[in-house]
Amino acid sequence: AIQACRFLHDIGVPTVIITTLEYDQNELSMMLSLRDSQFSPYILRIPKLDTRFTGSGDLTSALLLAWMNFHKNEPALALEKTASSVFAVLKATADSSKHYTSTMVVPPELCLISSKHIIENPPIHTTNFIAALAQPPDIKRVVVHHSLLPHTEEAWRDQLLFLSHDMYPSLSTNIPLVAIKQDLESKTNASGLPTFSHVDDLLLNDILPNERLLLILPTTEPHVVRATDERILKVAYAEHPATIFDSSAFDFTISNLRHLRRFFRPSSTSV
């Protein structure tokens, strides 16, 4: 699937969406590939419904186009919202068509009118419908700017531990998370949480050339890193889609710290 996307990119197609990939009898996968992103494609799994539908591809294309225009800097979120709405519409259609069987010639029409609220406001999922990188980088450490964390040091520690567990829900090991605070010298504070004035050798000295440090920054702080280092992936935190910033200064954009799961969600699916 990835090779097919690359072929289309090579002939000039900037965005490729594969609406249905079937690797598992209980799940379907969607893939979004972007020509100008060195880290895409994203892959997202949805539960499989044992029903045929008419118009699901058109619905997917329309919603993805709309959400990608709304979330210009966060295509993964556009895919997540699209998948969430499409699945909810399909589930509502299946539930309202219990008499339908897969042997019937004409599948049921989608329940679009009655699902208007679902289309406009996609259900928010905390564990499902995650658009994860199909080929994620090898993240060695995550550094979060202090302004994105609670104000007290104790709350910092709790939030970082929560994020660490959340990113690796099914793995036995956790990626170390630390905080970066520009007005402090490199040190360990009273709570035991490391803080650093810059991303310097202290944070990078044990990271190999093929490993990466994930640096989460507010959109106003793209220059915390003193020098360019290919081991550093800069992630912009832009809570509101209308936020105007220089996206070229960052490798990714997220609107919620929970979206860090996109970099870590384990995947055994062959793509």
Side-chain angles (χ1 to χ4, degrees):
I2 291 178
Q3 291 179 345
C5 290
R6 288 174 178 166
F7 172 81
L8 292 172
H9 291 325
D10 289 342
I11 62 175
V13 181
T15 304
V16 178
I17 175 70
I18 301 178
T19 60
T20 306
L21 291 168
E22 189 169 358
Y23 297 110
D24 186 285
Q25 62 179 359
N26 298 318
E27 289 183 327
L28 296 176
S29 296
M30 300 173 65
M31 180 178 287
L32 174 64
S33 183
L34 308 171
R35 180 184 60 190
D36 298 329
S37 173
Q38 62 174 313
F39 297 104
S40 77
Y42 295 95
I43 190 164
L44 182 149
R45 293 185 178 87
I46 59 175
K48 186 177 181 180
L49 298 174
D50 189 22
T51 307
R52 294 171 58 215
F53 300 96
T54 298
S56 57
D58 293 335
L59 176 62
T60 300
S61 299
L63 288 179
L64 185 63
L65 180 63
W67 285 122
M68 286 192 69
N69 183 63
F70 189 72
H71 298 290
K72 290 182 173 65
N73 296 314
E74 196 174 5
L77 181 57
L79 179 60
E80 290 169 355
K81 286 188 173 183
T82 297
S84 180
S85 285
V86 168
F87 179 78
V89 171
L90 296 183
K91 183 69 166 58
T93 302
D95 290 344
S96 66
S97 307
K98 296 296 186 182
H99 62 281
Y100 172 80
T101 65
S102 58
T103 59
M104 292 184 177
V105 177
V106 181
E109 292 290 335
L110 300 182
C111 296
L112 296 178
I113 302 302
S114 60
S115 301
K116 179 176 179 292
H117 64 291
I118 295 174
I119 295 173
E120 295 174 338
N121 300 285
I124 303 299
H125 299 270
T126 57
T127 57
N128 298 318
F129 299 95
I130 298 170
L133 288 171
Q135 297 177 317
D138 184 6
I139 304 297
K140 175 79 171 184
R141 180 174 293 115
V142 176
V143 179
V144 184
H145 194 275
H146 75 99
S147 65
L148 305 180
L149 296 170
H151 296 301
T152 67
E153 293 179 358
E154 182 177 357
W156 279 17
R157 184 174 64 252
D158 291 344
Q159 177 76 348
L160 291 177
L161 289 174
F162 169 78
L163 288 170
S164 182
H165 174 73
D166 189 53
M167 287 188 295
Y168 264 139
S170 62
L171 299 182
S172 59
T173 59
N174 288 327
I175 291 292
L177 287 102
V178 297
I180 180 171
K181 190 167 184 178
Q182 287 180 280
D183 58 354
L184 293 178
E185 294 298 326
S186 298
K187 67 175 186 178
T188 300
N189 59 37
S191 67
L193 178 67
T195 58
F196 299 90
S197 57
H198 287 85
V199 178
D200 52 23
D201 290 342
L202 190 60
L203 287 172
L204 290 168
N205 61 7
D206 62 340
I207 296 182
L208 301 176
N210 63 321
E211 297 174 333
R212 297 294 179 265
L213 180 147
L214 202 60
L215 178 59
I216 319 302
L217 299 170
T219 57
T220 56
E221 300 286 349
H223 305 299
V224 170
V225 182
R226 289 173 173 169
T228 301
D229 191 311
E230 64 179 10
R231 294 173 296 174
I232 298 174
L233 296 180
K234 289 196 291 185
V235 179
Y237 179 84
E239 186 173 1
H240 303 290
T243 301
I244 298 175
F245 66 99
D246 181 11
S247 59
S248 65
F250 298 91
D251 298 295
F252 296 95
T253 299
I254 60 174
S255 53
N256 189 303
L257 288 178
R258 294 182 68 92
H259 293 165
L260 292 173
R261 290 174 297 177
R262 295 171 186 157
F263 300 96
F264 299 97
R265 192 168 178 82
S267 172
S268 58
T269 298
S270 173
V271 292

